[in-house]
Amino acid sequence: AVEYFQALGVWPKWSLWASKDLKTWQPQGELLFEKTPLTDRFDDGACPNFLPIGDKRILLFFSHQNGGQYLLGDYDGQSHKFRPYDHGRFNHGRVAPGGVHAPSASTDGQGGVINILNINDARYSAEWDHIMSLPQRLTLGADSRVRIEPVAAVASLRGAHRHVGETRLPASEEMVLPGIEGSAMELNLEIDPGRARTVQINVLRSPGAEETTAITFYSYAGNPTNWWYSTPEEVVLDGSQSSTLPDAWPRPPERAIVNREGGSLKLQIFIDRSVVEVFVNGRQYLATRVYPKRKDSL
């Protein structure tokens, strides 16, 4: 007989329930094997999605203070206990304003998980609240860590294509790429930062930069002054200058640690009018809501 399971509750009382007919459910006890420093960091864990991913299990959930997150670990089918060994975030700050909210997920039948998140507003509307993120596919890498990419079907949304070949970026100058503009677009960038300490991409930018949303890579590779502390490289999504509207609430910058492992920086950036989503090297995801007022912020 097929047995069905569902996770219920909020942190720290996630519980597992089982049923053979989807009508009668029996408790299987608390889901987590034990409390650890990894699992002690959450204020709560609502909207749980507990799913297989590769040969592991992933627990996607929502924290009312810190937004969409996940735990990755091993599941014992005999004791019905979950022991996480890794933690990741879809939201790199507080949940509001403009932060990534709760996940809705399902398996894809190929060892991965399809995940859709709702994203909070940063501007009040009496008519609607929240939007949905792009669907993303979560998989397990060779290092048994989560990989995050937009689903392949997103390519069906592509329209006019523009290509910019290999370009050397001058230091301390802003270069506007001709013909690359719009409020609904996908950007695929591969960047070799070399010895640059920062590389910045500005999107939804007005000609005079009165409005702009910045994606900045901070590089600390080979920093000779960094011997005392380990300062990891970061990608920062900053919408604090994105709007001149008086009723748009700016969000503190999203900051995600990046491990390039000596390779290039690969960014897949999706812009859809009031939302910017950034996938970094298939390992990190950042998103924020932005509300440019000017029609030329393209």
Side-chain angles (χ1 to χ4, degrees), residues 140-221:
L140 210 58
D143 57 356
S144 293
R145 295 295 190 272
V146 170
R147 299 293 186 269
I148 307 175
E149 296 178 306
V151 296
V154 168
S156 67
L157 302 175
R158 290 172 177 165
H161 177 255
R162 298 288 185 273
H163 176 72
V164 177
E166 183 172 320
T167 304
R168 186 172 182 85
L169 303 179
S172 304
E173 293 182 26
E174 187 176 39
M175 175 188 295
V176 177
L177 299 176
I180 310 299
E181 62 180 35
S183 62
M185 60 193 304
E186 172 189 350
L187 302 173
N188 284 290
L189 310 175
E190 183 168 359
I191 300 169
D192 176 5
R195 300 185 65 181
R197 297 171 186 175
T198 63
V199 180
Q200 185 173 92
I201 300 97
N202 293 310
V203 299
L204 296 177
R205 176 191 182 277
S206 61
E210 298 89 351
E211 295 180 326
T212 189
T213 297
I215 299 105
T216 308
F217 172 67
Y218 291 85
S219 176
Y220 295 98

Side-chain angles (χ1 to χ4, degrees), residues 18 24 43 52 58 68 72 78 93-94 128 147 152 162 182 190 197 201 206 213 219 227 251 262 268 277 280 290 292:
T24 305
D43 54 293
I58 189 168
L72 178 68
Q78 297 298 316
R94 297 290 186 176
W128 57 280
R147 299 293 186 269
R162 298 288 185 273
E190 183 168 359
R197 297 171 186 175
I201 300 97
S206 61
T213 297
S219 176
W227 62 274
R251 177 172 180 76
Q268 200 166 3
E277 299 179 77
V280 186
V290 293

Side-chain angles (χ1 to χ4, degrees), residues 11-167:
W11 172 255
K13 293 291 184 180
W14 283 307
S15 60
L16 198 67
W17 292 70
S19 173
K20 294 182 179 180
D21 59 7
L22 294 179
K23 296 179 181 179
T24 305
W25 294 86
Q26 299 298 326
Q28 306 298 307
E30 288 193 34
L31 178 60
L32 289 183
F33 182 80
E34 61 187 0
K35 293 181 69 174
T36 69
L38 185 69
T39 59
D40 265 344
R41 66 183 69 183
F42 314 117
D43 54 293
D44 68 296
C47 306
N49 292 250
F50 187 54
L51 300 166
I53 180 170
D55 60 350
K56 305 296 181 182
R57 291 293 179 105
I58 189 168
L59 178 62
L60 301 139
F61 63 94
F62 163 66
S63 156
H64 283 81
Q65 292 297 319
N66 297 304
Q69 303 173 58
Y70 67 83
L71 288 169
L72 178 68
D74 295 291
Y75 174 67
D76 185 334
Q78 297 298 316
S79 65
H80 301 300
K81 295 295 184 183
F82 176 56
R83 188 195 295 268
Y85 61 80
D86 196 24
H87 166 254
R89 301 186 67 171
F90 305 103
N91 187 80
H92 303 271
R94 297 290 186 176
V95 70
V100 173
H101 201 96
S104 296
S106 65
T107 57
D108 67 355
Q110 300 176 342
V113 170
I114 303 300
N115 183 37
I116 300 177
L117 300 141
N118 62 312
I119 304 177
N120 288 304
D121 291 340
R123 187 183 183 201
Y124 176 73
S125 170
E127 299 177 354
W128 57 280
D129 190 19
H130 293 200
I131 61 169
M132 307 308 294
S133 73
L134 281 175
Q136 51 189 229
R137 184 170 187 252
L138 312 180
T139 55
L140 210 58
D143 57 356
S144 293
R145 295 295 190 272
V146 170
R147 299 293 186 269
I148 307 175
E149 296 178 306
V151 296
V154 168
S156 67
L157 302 175
R158 290 172 177 165
H161 177 255
R162 298 288 185 273
H163 176 72
V164 177
E166 183 172 320
T167 304

